[in-house]
Amino acid sequence: MISKQFDKETFKESVKSNVRSLYRKTIDEATPQQIFQAVSYAVKDVIIDNWLKSQKQFDKEDPKIVYYLSMEFLMGRALGNNLLNLTAYGEVKEALEELGFDLNAIEDEEPDPALGNGGLGRLAACFLDSLATLGYCAYGCGIRYHYGMFKQEIKDGYQIEVPDAWLKDGYPFELRRPEYAKEVKFGGHVRVVYDPSTGRNEFVQEDYQSVRAIPYDLPIVGYNNQIVNTLRIWDSEAINDFQLDSFDKGDYRKAVEQENLARNIVEVLYPNDNHYAGKELRLKQQYFFISASIQAAVEKFKKKHGDIHELPSKVTFQLNDTHPTVTVAELMRILVDEEKLSWEDAWDITTRTCAYTNHTIMAEALEKWPIELFSRLLPRIYQIVEEINRRFLIQIQQMYPGNQEKIKKMAIIYDGQVKMAHLAIAGSYSVNGVARLHTEILKNKELKDFYEMMPQKFNNKTNGITQRRFLLHGNPLLADWVTKHIGRDWITDLSQISKLKIYADDEKAQQEFMNIKYQNKLRLAKYIQEHNGIEVDPRSIFDVQVKRLHEYKRQLLNILHVMYLYNKMKEHPELDFYPRTFIFGAKASAGYHRAKLIIKLINSVADVVNNDASIKGKLKVVFIENYRVSNAEIIFAAADVSEQISTASKEASGTGNMKFMLNGALTIGTMDGANVEIVEEVGADNAFIFGLSSDEVINFEQNGGYDPNFYFNTDPDIRNVLMQLINGTFSPKDPERFRDLYNSLLNTKSSDKPDTYFTLADFKSYAKAQEQVEAAYRDQRGWAKSAILNTASSGKFSSDRTIQEYVDEIWHLDKVVVED
Ligand code: H2P
């Protein structure tokens, strides 16, 4: 593909000339960062050709478009991924070698665009990759945060948040598109004017502040198909920069305010997942990017189509969680106020255009805006939500006459609050969960009333991940091995990977597979040595838990078990322990004190364990600083064991679990989220399942009966580990340091509700499953077989499969082929 578009020599010239024109340097004078920039611009040049071609083809064929609306896109680095998808990686690597550069080192110069927190944002990124690869026309719409997810530094075992100025050197892959700027209005009040000529009331927003939303487009390169889609992230600028005439008119304050508003809106991503903080600026961010995106989408539609009623057949707005839910009201505003449609017409169009994905059942994630804030910031939008609510309540009453309970539970506006999930459900034609179990819980519990009223809207779309980033790019050794055995088709059709199953029992294949794992463990061990100064044994079991730090994900259970193992080793030096390296990577939200304390605990345990010569290096604990997409690729490739140990029912799906599986790690996990489907695919013999089921957890939640003290009183191992949290074993200078964690597990003080994550209930079955892990690993052939079967059974978990299901069952998009 690449040879058709450029040859090596042209590419080399292009890199040289970029260095010259961008930096007035020759390539031997340029810094590594400058080389990265020059190479990226050369690659962008190639992408632009395909981008233009794709747009022409879209123009010609006029396919239906999905707008994936998301506050977060956790893209990770683009250079390597773009080269792979252009199928130019090898040739560019060679070209750069000829210039004296190492492509891997150049890739490391790229800032990791971290415009997301965790799974939700990374899912959006995988979806864009799959949409382009499958040949569907799609826009990602989001925010160009100037500071994405913070950089995590570990100082004295504690997390420190450092701002991540990812734009400071300029980001070569983005394209500023001022010609598509949109105005977005906040505040003021709405004046109702009767227009006798039409007999309609017109709603005029006055005394508002506004900002100009400027789109920046990032190319999303499909794999080997010349399709390039667009991720459009919006920046904001003041409408009237400092103007003297404002000053004269006494509007000085307003001018400054608008300037500040514009600056603040896109400044920073809220570092909170599964948690709603109720901050005014967050609602501003939401309306800002939604208003701009919907305006642009409607405008684009109207360029080609005369009748706005056709919108649902040409456009879907997919709401990634409730964060973009103002879409429902903004589209109504455009249709009613600007397109002058009747309410009924507008509602019909809106509810056939919007679709909503739910990503969590965590109560603290539910967005509920106080009416006062919502109506002050978005006065016209609030009026529209009120009217949607009024009509929705009538519908509920018609269905359940006299049932006040239903109104209370389902109203969009209730108790002084605007409930975004209810608005999303009322305004969408599809409501989906992200794994089968999660969708069942939505239908039978969390959203039961809505499901009973409108069952036809509900459906499941089990998450997926892109094998192109998480195998082809992240694990080149295994990718080559897979290709050698089954050909290249898996790259765009992961179901093909099941062909590897016939090698599971083959001794040579097993050895090769384990040898590749070993090479990847060496690569990670080197990274850990360089970044943590800890030496780990690549022959030990690499047991990994990487994901955001949250109590429900239960990193605490993991580290308590490490403490328990350590105690056992000390008490029974005669026992034969298989060497184990427990690897953690996690960011904690800045204000989430308990999560940060868990990080400190992990590091404190690491300090003691790693420096205790008596255990002969058989147990190591590593906390990898600043876990993010780029180091994730290295980590997944090197894992033997994948820790997926959330409290059953709490993890909607998980996607890290899928990345581990693809790379041949065996799961130790609860029957939660997509783990259920993973085990179904690979077989229970090739995973280690433990703990309460989601039904048991829900039963405890509804009927009580969980008493952590029972475990504390009856199990000496558990008591011992818990006592170590408050007797200074891991914090000799401050024995009280981990008291809060102790309390959280036993609830002796903080609240009368026992630990809602049921950590102690699962402790012993977890420890038992870990014993099985160790026993299984001793049988190297058996382990290799299971590892191969994990990779071979991961076909279902490609985001290509997920996207095709969205297309078939929700979006109904048309496939586009770009011809030469
Ligand atoms: C969330 C859920 C995950 C899910 C992911 C994508 C919000 O991600 O908790 O279970 O897989 O969305 O649907 P996370 O916890 O990683 O921030």
Side-chain angles (χ1 to χ4, degrees):
M1 165 100 17
I2 188 157
S3 44
K4 270 185 238 154
Q5 294 156 35
F6 60 71
D7 63 31
K8 244 200 279 176
E9 292 312 313
T10 325
F11 183 74
K12 284 183 346 199
E13 278 317 307
S14 161
V15 172
K16 283 189 210 161
S17 108
N18 285 346
V19 170
R20 214 179 41 235
S21 59
L22 287 168
Y23 305 111
R24 207 215 56 191
K25 282 188 179 169
T26 59
I27 55 166
D28 40 285
E29 292 166 330
T31 65
Q33 172 61 217
Q34 291 170 337
I35 297 294
F36 157 72
Q37 296 273 346
V39 169
S40 298
Y41 276 106
V43 173
K44 186 174 162 191
D45 250 10
V46 184
I47 295 174
I48 294 265
D49 288 339
N50 288 346
W51 211 351
L52 279 168
K53 256 200 240 172
S54 302
Q55 295 309 312
K56 282 229 167 72
Q57 198 71 23
F58 293 154
D59 234 29
K60 200 166 107 196
E61 297 186 19
D62 188 29
K64 186 174 177 187
I65 303 175
V66 63
Y67 291 88
Y68 199 79
L69 306 170
S70 180
M71 290 288 273
E72 305 190 7
F73 288 93
L74 192 43
M75 299 304 288
R77 290 174 177 156
L79 175 59
N81 199 70
N82 285 340
L83 287 174
L84 272 182
N85 283 6
L86 290 166
T87 61
Y89 196 90
E91 282 174 86
V92 166
K93 196 169 166 60
E94 267 174 43
L96 291 170
E97 268 159 22
E98 286 166 25
L99 291 175
F101 299 116
D102 168 17
L103 176 54
N104 284 337
I106 294 176
E107 282 183 60
D108 279 340
E109 284 296 316
E110 179 172 350
D112 213 317
L115 309 184
N117 275 285
L120 175 136
R122 183 54 230 177
L123 184 76
C126 285
F127 279 6
L128 294 184
D129 181 80
S130 288
L131 277 159
T133 297
L134 295 176
Y136 297 113
C137 181
Y139 281 83
C141 302
I143 297 177
R144 186 174 181 264
Y145 301 107
H146 291 191
Y147 295 90
M149 192 60 191
F150 61 81
K151 257 195 196 137
Q152 178 193 57
E153 287 179 7
I154 301 294
K155 292 251 161 72
D156 189 26
Y158 287 103
Q159 165 178 298
I160 309 286
E161 302 92 32
V162 179
D164 177 29
W166 72 290
L167 289 166
K168 78 175 185 316
D169 296 309
Y171 191 63
F173 289 104
E174 67 180 5
L175 211 63
R176 182 182 150 91
R177 316 295 301 276
E179 66 274 33
Y180 298 115
K182 296 280 169 286
E183 183 181 7
V184 180
K185 298 174 183 172
F186 296 97
H189 58 266
V190 178
R191 189 158 57 89
V192 186
V193 188
Y194 179 73
D195 180 349
S197 69
T198 59
R200 289 170 59 111
N201 280 332
E202 303 296 336
F203 299 84
V204 190
Q205 196 170 344
E206 291 179 335
D207 292 332
Y208 56 82
Q209 292 182 350
S210 64
V211 296
R212 184 184 293 120
I214 312 266
Y216 284 69
D217 287 355
L218 274 66
I220 305 295
V221 179
Y223 183 81
N224 196 22
N225 65 357
Q226 306 194 62
I227 297 254
V228 181
N229 276 331
T230 303
L231 168 58
R232 173 160 285 186
I233 49 179
W234 297 88
D235 206 332
S236 71
E237 287 177 10
I239 294 257
N240 12 312
D241 306 279
F242 220 107
Q243 275 176 5
L244 265 186
D245 59 334
S246 299
F247 191 63
D248 288 343
K249 279 193 253 146
D251 276 351
Y252 173 71
R253 224 184 85 185
K254 187 173 174 190
V256 173
E257 275 170 7
Q258 296 211 141
E259 179 85 38
N260 285 339
L261 175 65
R263 190 167 322 120
N264 289 337
I265 283 183
V266 294
E267 193 64 6
V268 59
L269 163 76
Y270 276 95
N272 258 334
D273 65 339
N274 298 312
H275 187 84
Y276 151 82
K279 293 285 192 304
E280 178 164 343
L281 181 58
R282 172 82 171 180
L283 183 58
K284 276 186 194 158
Q285 290 184 333
Q286 296 183 349
Y287 185 66
F288 166 74
F289 94 99
I290 288 304
S291 177
S293 302
I294 306 303
Q295 288 183 56
V298 170
E299 184 180 278
K300 185 176 170 71
F301 169 85
K302 285 175 66 180
K303 273 197 189 135
K304 280 210 164 281
H305 307 272
D307 185 358
I308 192 78
H309 292 89
E310 294 299 309
L311 190 72
S313 66
K314 285 291 169 190
V315 168
T316 289
F317 294 125
Q318 186 68 37
L319 316 180
N320 196 25
D321 215 320
T322 54
H323 322 143
T325 298
V326 281
T327 299
V328 172
E330 175 67 0
L331 183 56
M332 285 299 287
R333 182 190 69 76
I334 292 173
L335 296 175
V336 173
D337 293 1
E338 292 175 15
E339 300 298 322
K340 313 286 181 207
L341 297 187
S342 69
W343 182 274
E344 290 74 15
D345 255 12
W347 186 243
D348 176 60
I349 294 173
T350 299
T351 51
R352 289 190 296 125
T353 306
C354 298
Y356 158 60
T357 304
N358 175 290
H359 291 267
T360 182
I361 58 159
M362 301 297 290
E364 66 260 39
L366 286 180
E367 291 189 295
K368 294 174 275 195
W369 297 103
I371 289 178
E372 183 282 322
L373 190 167
F374 197 99
S375 60
R376 174 165 46 81
L377 195 65
L378 310 171
R380 177 59 187 142
I381 292 299
Y382 180 69
Q383 288 180 336
I384 291 171
V385 175
E386 269 189 319
E387 180 61 13
I388 295 174
N389 182 50
R390 192 184 68 78
R391 289 170 183 246
F392 186 53
L393 294 187
I394 292 173
Q395 243 183 303
I396 297 174
Q397 272 161 348
Q398 277 166 356
M399 223 164 148
Y400 307 101
N403 190 337
Q404 280 309 305
E405 237 348 76
K406 289 276 180 196
I407 302 270
K408 191 172 151 193
K409 288 199 310 213
M410 298 172 79
I412 296 167
I413 303 176
Y414 201 84
D415 228 5
Q417 291 171 321
V418 183
K419 302 189 173 178
M420 300 309 265
H422 300 189
L423 177 59
I425 299 168
S428 295
Y429 67 92
S430 163
V431 176
N432 77 280
V434 289
R436 197 203 305 140
L437 174 67
H438 169 60
T439 303
E440 287 308 307
I441 294 174
L442 290 181
K443 294 200 301 198
N444 301 326
K445 186 163 174 271
E446 298 303 314
L447 302 177
K448 189 162 186 272
D449 296 299
F450 292 91
Y451 174 62
E452 280 170 5
M453 188 172 164
M454 30 201 163
Q456 75 289 352
K457 289 189 181 183
F458 284 73
N459 64 91
N460 177 55
K461 296 288 166 282
T462 298
N463 283 165
I465 53 149
T466 168
Q467 67 270 29
R468 290 167 290 280
R469 184 177 287 270
F470 292 105
L471 183 52
L472 188 60
H473 186 257
N475 194 346
L477 295 177
L478 186 59
D480 286 347
W481 184 84
V482 173
T483 300
K484 197 179 93 199
H485 287 82
I486 64 167
R488 300 184 64 79
D489 290 352
W490 63 272
I491 298 172
T492 48
D493 174 8
L494 196 62
S495 70
Q496 298 289 330
I497 207 155
S498 67
K499 289 182 181 161
L500 286 176
K501 283 186 185 163
I502 54 165
Y503 296 102
D505 277 311
D506 176 321
E507 192 167 357
K508 181 163 164 275
Q510 290 176 350
Q511 270 168 10
E512 287 169 359
F513 196 94
M514 291 306 274
N515 186 42
I516 287 169
K517 185 60 82 181
Y518 183 72
Q519 297 302 321
N520 285 323
K521 286 163 80 173
L522 280 178
R523 179 172 68 159
L524 180 59
K526 186 164 166 261
Y527 181 94
I528 290 171
Q529 178 66 268
E530 281 168 15
H531 290 79
N532 293 61
I534 299 175
E535 196 183 320
V536 299
D537 175 4
R539 292 203 157 69
S540 64
I541 303 171
F542 276 21
D543 181 315
V544 189
Q545 186 171 20
V546 284
K547 50 181 81 243
R548 292 270 294 165
L549 213 138
H550 200 291
E551 285 168 277
Y552 85 79
K553 298 181 190 276
R554 295 202 298 194
Q555 284 92 349
L556 187 53
L557 175 61
N558 188 343
I559 195 67
L560 290 176
H561 171 258
V562 173
M563 289 158 62
Y564 158 80
L565 265 190
Y566 177 61
N567 294 338
K568 242 168 83 173
M569 282 187 176
K570 300 283 285 180
E571 280 163 31
H572 301 284
E574 75 286 0
L575 290 181
D576 176 24
F577 285 93
Y578 201 95
R580 206 67 93 113
T581 304
F582 288 93
I583 298 169
F584 294 82
K587 290 183 185 176
S589 165
Y592 190 172
H593 297 296
R594 189 169 290 161
K596 293 171 96 169
L597 195 56
I598 293 171
I599 293 181
K600 173 65 180 170
L601 176 64
I602 294 170
N603 284 313
S604 303
V605 173
D607 269 353
V608 172
V609 169
N610 297 346
N611 296 309
D612 184 342
S614 76
I615 58 165
K616 305 197 184 75
K618 286 198 167 170
L619 186 58
K620 286 274 167 86
V621 179
V622 176
F623 187 94
I624 293 182
E625 196 178 55
N626 202 27
Y627 174 60
R628 60 195 187 283
V629 180
S630 53
N631 58 19
E633 295 179 35
I634 302 172
I635 295 168
F636 291 123
D640 295 308
V641 179
S642 158
E643 295 271 354
Q644 307 302 334
I645 60 177
S646 51
T647 309
S649 81
K650 304 283 181 216
E651 187 70 273
S653 160
T655 43
N657 46 5
M658 302 168 184
K659 297 165 197 167
F660 280 111
M661 180 194 201
L662 176 67
N663 283 277
L666 277 61
T667 302
I668 180 166
T670 49
M671 272 298 176
D672 198 16
N675 297 352
V676 175
E677 291 162 74
I678 286 179
V679 172
E680 188 172 291
E681 293 298 304
V682 74
D685 294 350
N686 301 301
F688 306 91
I689 299 304
F690 71 94
L692 296 173
S693 68
S694 64
D695 283 344
E696 288 168 328
V697 167
I698 291 169
N699 187 38
F700 268 145
E701 285 173 344
Q702 287 173 344
N703 305 318
Y706 171 59
D707 177 14
N709 290 301
F710 168 77
Y711 302 95
F712 183 83
N713 293 330
T714 56
D715 188 320
D717 292 330
I718 290 182
R719 187 164 59 245
N720 192 16
V721 165
L722 257 66
M723 289 311 290
Q724 289 178 332
L725 291 175
I726 52 169
N727 70 11
T729 306
F730 299 101
S731 54
K733 286 199 196 121
D734 178 7
E736 285 295 304
R737 179 171 296 143
F738 300 114
R739 169 78 62 179
D740 175 62
L741 300 180
Y742 173 89
N743 286 347
S744 79
L745 293 162
L746 291 173
N747 300 96
T748 47
K749 258 202 215 130
S750 41
S751 74
D752 43 12
K753 240 189 173 182
D755 168 30
T756 47
Y757 305 106
F758 306 100
T759 311
L760 300 188
D762 279 352
F763 186 90
K764 267 296 152 94
S765 63
Y766 177 55
K768 204 163 175 91
Q770 285 287 20
E771 278 170 23
Q772 289 161 5
V773 168
E774 187 182 318
Y777 199 82
R778 286 175 190 272
D779 167 14
Q780 277 290 289
R781 281 207 59 188
W783 187 275
K785 177 179 174 182
S786 285
I788 293 176
L789 285 175
N790 266 278
T791 300
S793 307
S794 63
K796 174 175 177 185
F797 304 105
S798 168
S799 45
D800 298 343
R801 187 268 313 150
T802 313
I803 284 300
Q804 194 55 49
E805 288 180 8
Y806 274 92
V807 167
D808 292 341
E809 294 160 27
I810 305 178
W811 300 335
H812 308 293
L813 307 178
D814 317 293
K815 231 184 204 356
V816 176
V817 176
V818 173
E819 288 135 21
D820 284 319

